Amino acid sequence: MHQLDQLKQFTTVVADTGNFKQLAQFAPQDATTNPSLILKAVQQPDYAPLLAETVAVHRGLPLDEVVDQVLVRFGLEILKVVPGRVSTEVDARLSFDTAANVARAHRIIDLYEAAGIGRNRVLIKIASTWEGIQAARILEREGIHCNLTLLFSFCQAVACGEAGVQLISPFVGRIYDWYKKSAGAKWDEAAMAGANDPGVLSVSQIYTYYKKFGIDTEVMGASFRNVGQITALAGCDLLTISPDLLAQLQASEAPIVRALDPAAAKDAPVHAVSYNEASFRYALNEDAMGTEKLAEGIRGFAVDAGKLDQMILSL
């Protein structure tokens, strides 16, 4: 049995791509997108006509509405391939505006429902800022489920659990990147691999905390740099994986053993914590990696959202 099928015994496998024509070969349960992945897709000849067609149909609408039509169109195509859910992201430029996140989420859900897709098959993807988490709290109470992204710090995960968020996406690879860059010449790749990888350690800590205290929020490791990070998190609720790494998992039959186990988490010596806005902001501020990667991630998604805007305006 190849590693991808072994992994599916412990973990729900999600495809991290806007390239829906690649999906079927990996048979993922769900799929996630973000502005960078959609931008990458529409720049390919296979998908450029889809962008042009969608923009033509909705010409005359405000730009932000056309963008949402494009995002949902990709989501609808993805849902023809995956049996589960698609994550569609709210514009990262709204990351510090609770009301704007809620309004944009409502519009995205309305577009899916108008196309015959129930809200149970859609996750609204929002940045894990304090404002984003509060938007998700509101949306979850309305039955609109959320995927809180750009999650790097333990305090973000705790706040998401307290808000009743459906799912979080801790970014394994970007955490790894920060610690590797910070260590410079002192970085020991072999010593910091597998279970010792700082991104893996972060997800393991969150998973253990959630299972220990019966928090229902799903943990979906994301942003992987190598197969070792993935196999070290076998047993996580979900893992969202790029097509390149899915192909590597398919090409190997090396054994995978379960690394994260809810039963083991129940006995972990951890204590419950809670955050209000002030303590959340202070805890995030104390985490240099979390602060820097969250800001960098929002800036990066905002740049790619702006590029998509310009592509649409040029059509």
Side-chain angles (χ1 to χ4, degrees), residues 153-169:
S153 185
F154 182 67
C155 65
Q156 291 174 292
V158 172
C160 286
E162 291 187 309
V165 168
Q166 179 71 31
L167 180 147
I168 60 167
S169 296

Side-chain angles (χ1 to χ4, degrees), residues 138-151:
I138 294 166
L139 292 165
E140 291 286 355
R141 288 174 179 168
E142 298 174 354
I144 297 172
H145 297 307
C146 299
N147 170 356
L148 271 288
T149 188
L150 294 175
L151 195 147

